[in-house]
C-alpha cells in the first residue's frame, strides 16, 4: 500500500474518532429530550390555558429562519401586574433589572449542515404542533419528533403529493355569494389554494 493510501486511512480514522467522540447518540434523534430551564415557564398555562399566540413570544417564526426566544421584557409586559410575587417571575424581573438575558436551554437542535427556515414553513400554513408536538399541553417543553432527515423528507413528499392531488374547491365559501351578487371583488378565501412543493433534493436543506 502506498504512503498516500496510509495517510488517507489515517485521516479517515481520525475523522471517525472525532465524530464518534463528539456524539452521544444518533444526530438529531433526541426524542424525549426535556431539559430543566432556568425559569419554570409553562406552555400549558400560556399557550394552553390562556391561548396566547405562539408568535407573541416567538416573533421571528413568520419572517425569519429562527423563531426566536422572547426577551425577559416581553414576559414583563404582563407580569408587572400578574403574579408579581412569584419566585419564578422575580427571576425574570431580576434579569430585566440587570439587563441580562435568561439563559434558556435549547430543546430542538438541527445539525449545522442542515438549513431550516421557520418562515417558509409557517407562511405555508404548517402548524407549530406538526414539528413541536402538542406544546400547548406541555408544562416543560420536550422534543417529540425525531427530526431526522428521513422524517423531514417524509413530510415534504407527503405534502407535495397531497397538494397536487387536492380537489379545487367549487362551492362558494363565506362571503362569496354576497360578493358575486353585488359585483364586488371576491374575498380572500376564494383564491385558488397555494400548491406546495417542498424540496426533496439535497440542495433544499444542505446549502
Amino acid at each position: 500500500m502506498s504512503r498516500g493510501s496510509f495517510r488517507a486511512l489515517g485521516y479517515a480514522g481520525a475523522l471517525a474518532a472525532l465524530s464518534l467522540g463528539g456524539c452521544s447518540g444518533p444526530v438529531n434523534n433526541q426524542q424525549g429530550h426535556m431539559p430543566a430551564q432556568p425559569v419554570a415557564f409553562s406552555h400549558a398555562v400560556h399557550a394552553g390555558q390562556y391561548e396566547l399566540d405562539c408568535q407573541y413570544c416567538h416573533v421571528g417564526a413568520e419572517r425569519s429562519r429562527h423563531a426566536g426566544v422572547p426577551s425577559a421584557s416581553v414576559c414583563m409586559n404582563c407580569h408587572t401586574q400578574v403574579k408579581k410575587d412569584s419566585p419564578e417571575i422575580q427571576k425574570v424581573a431580576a434579569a430585566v433589572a440587570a439587563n441580562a438575558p435568561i439563559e434558556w436551554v435549547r430543546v430542538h437542535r438541527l445539525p449545522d449542515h442542515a438549513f431550516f427556515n421557520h418562515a417558509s414553513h409557517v407562511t405555508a400554513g404548517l402548524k407549530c404542533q406538526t414539528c413541536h408536538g402538542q406544546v400547548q399541553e406541555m408544562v416543560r417543553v420536550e422534543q417529540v419528533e425525531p427530526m431526522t432527515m428521513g422524517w423531514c423528507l417524509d413530510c415534504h413528499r407527503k405534502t407535495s403529493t397531497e397538494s397536487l392531488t387536492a380537489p379545487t374547491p367549487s362551492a362558494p365559501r363565506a362571503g362569496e355569494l354576497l360578493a358575486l351578487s353585488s359585483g364586488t371583488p371576491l374575498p380572500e378565501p376564494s383564491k385558488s389554494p397555494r400548491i406546495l412543493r417542498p424540496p426533496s433534493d439535497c440542495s433544499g436543506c444542505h446549502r
Side-chain angles (χ1 to χ4, degrees):
M1 184 179 289
S2 68
R3 181 178 298 175
S5 299
F6 276 117
R7 186 180 293 116
L9 283 174
Y11 287 150
L15 181 61
L18 286 170
S19 299
L20 292 173
C23 299
S24 58
V27 175
N28 260 13
N29 194 359
Q30 299 187 99
Q31 284 176 287
H33 180 51
M34 188 173 57
Q37 300 291 349
V39 176
F41 177 89
S42 171
H43 278 78
V45 169
H46 293 78
Q49 182 179 349
Y50 292 111
E51 299 182 344
L52 290 182
D53 190 285
C54 299
Q55 292 185 60
Y56 178 76
C57 297
H58 302 289
V59 294
E62 192 175 24
R63 57 178 184 267
S64 169
R65 280 188 62 188
H66 307 287
V69 176
S71 64
S73 60
V74 172
C75 305
M76 297 309 293
N77 286 342
C78 295
H79 286 295
T80 53
Q81 304 297 323
V82 178
K83 297 192 71 175
K84 294 184 293 183
D85 298 328
S86 163
E88 299 304 308
I89 301 307
Q90 289 176 0
K91 293 179 188 177
V92 180
V96 172
N99 194 28
I102 295 173
E103 297 185 1
W104 300 103
V105 180
R106 190 164 190 154
V107 178
H108 305 86
R109 188 181 189 92
L110 294 179
D112 292 340
H113 60 260
F115 176 87
F116 178 85
N117 189 327
H118 272 88
S120 62
H121 291 76
V122 173
T123 57
L126 198 72
K127 294 184 180 299
C128 303
Q129 290 86 347
T130 304
C131 298
H132 295 292
Q134 299 302 312
V135 181
Q136 75 280 3
E137 299 173 3
M138 298 180 187
V139 174
R140 185 193 294 179
V141 171
E142 68 173 300
Q143 180 173 323
V144 174
E145 302 294 348
M147 294 192 172
T148 57
M149 184 174 75
W151 179 78
C152 293
L153 281 172
D154 285 345
C155 182
H156 279 208
R157 289 164 179 159
K158 179 181 178 184
T159 300
S160 292
T161 302
E162 290 178 348
S163 186
L164 289 171
T165 58
T168 303
S170 55
R173 286 176 265 184
E176 291 183 3
L177 287 176
L178 178 61
L180 288 169
S181 62
S182 63
T184 57
L186 292 177
E188 185 76 16
S190 68
K191 292 185 177 179
S192 298
R194 178 180 172 188
I195 301 208
L196 301 174
R197 294 190 180 93
S200 58
D201 58 288
C202 300
S203 62
C205 300
H206 302 293
R207 303 182 180 183

